[in-house]
Amino acid sequence: MAHILVLNGPNLNLLGTREPEIYGSTTLADIESRCADRARDLGLELESQQSNSEGALVDAIQAARERCQGIIINPGAYTHTSIAIFDALAACDLPVVEVHLSNIHRREDFRHSSYVSKVAEGVICGFGADGYEMAVDALARILAQGGQA
Ligand code: CA2
């Protein structure tokens, strides 16, 4: 059974508690549980991790290489700044689906560019918590096609 990792970056542990007008009222635990249900329906095994630290996210990506077939990642603000996460994703050689709750292109200019998009098969943004389930669907299709979009 294919194993996929859902990885969330800084401040996403606060989901559902602050700024609901931007990020919605669903908690990260709810999102993770919805993704796990969706993955099970699709015959995938899913694990979820969140960290506020760039190094821990790099460690999680490196570890995923050993036991996962794909990664769904919302790198939070590191999307726009982290060459370390870009390098780790490029080196892990797994299909990557990038997710954002908000439509980053409708927001401040500094959110319009993503290092992660350069190594992602695709990007889902602006659909709130639903975007994560869309990402599970997308990754399932990619894996069914042999690992690339
Ligand atoms: O829209 C997204 O998913 C983002 O990745 C969220 C990041 C932001 O820096 C990116 O530009 C877009 C911020 C996550 C902050 O999450 C919070 C959740 C609840 C309350 C406060 C922050």
Side-chain angles (χ1 to χ4, degrees):
M1 184 183 277
H3 195 124
I4 63 177
L5 172 66
V6 176
L7 190 55
N8 278 287
N11 295 309
L12 289 158
N13 54 315
L14 299 177
L15 279 177
T17 65
R18 315 226 172 98
E19 300 190 63
E21 66 289 354
I22 304 176
Y23 298 117
S25 51
T26 310
T27 65
L28 184 58
D30 288 337
I31 288 173
E32 290 173 348
S33 140
R34 281 166 56 176
C35 285
D37 289 347
R38 185 78 192 134
R40 200 174 312 113
D41 290 346
L42 294 166
L44 302 170
E45 213 175 304
L46 179 143
E47 73 177 73
S48 299
Q49 292 180 45
Q50 185 275 332
S51 178
N52 292 325
S53 138
E54 186 176 21
L57 293 167
V58 168
D59 287 342
I61 294 163
Q62 288 185 8
R65 182 165 196 241
E66 306 303 320
R67 60 173 194 285
C68 294
Q69 282 69 54
I71 299 178
I72 293 168
I73 184 166
N74 181 348
Y78 289 137
T79 304
H80 320 295
T81 62
S82 179
I83 298 170
I85 290 173
F86 165 86
D87 283 342
L89 289 169
C92 84
D93 208 24
L94 296 173
V96 173
V97 177
E98 178 182 354
V99 182
H100 299 285
L101 294 146
S102 61
N103 180 352
I104 56 176
H105 303 289
R106 212 155 72 171
R107 300 184 65 193
E108 302 95 325
D109 286 355
F110 64 83
R111 295 188 204 275
H112 294 179
S113 75
S114 164
Y115 284 106
V116 170
S117 297
K118 298 181 197 305
V119 285
E121 301 298 321
V123 185
I124 297 167
C125 79
F127 296 103
D130 291 347
Y132 285 84
E133 282 162 284
M134 295 176 189
V136 174
D137 287 350
L139 193 49
R141 284 168 186 245
I142 291 165
L143 293 173
Q145 287 160 15
Q148 285 199 315

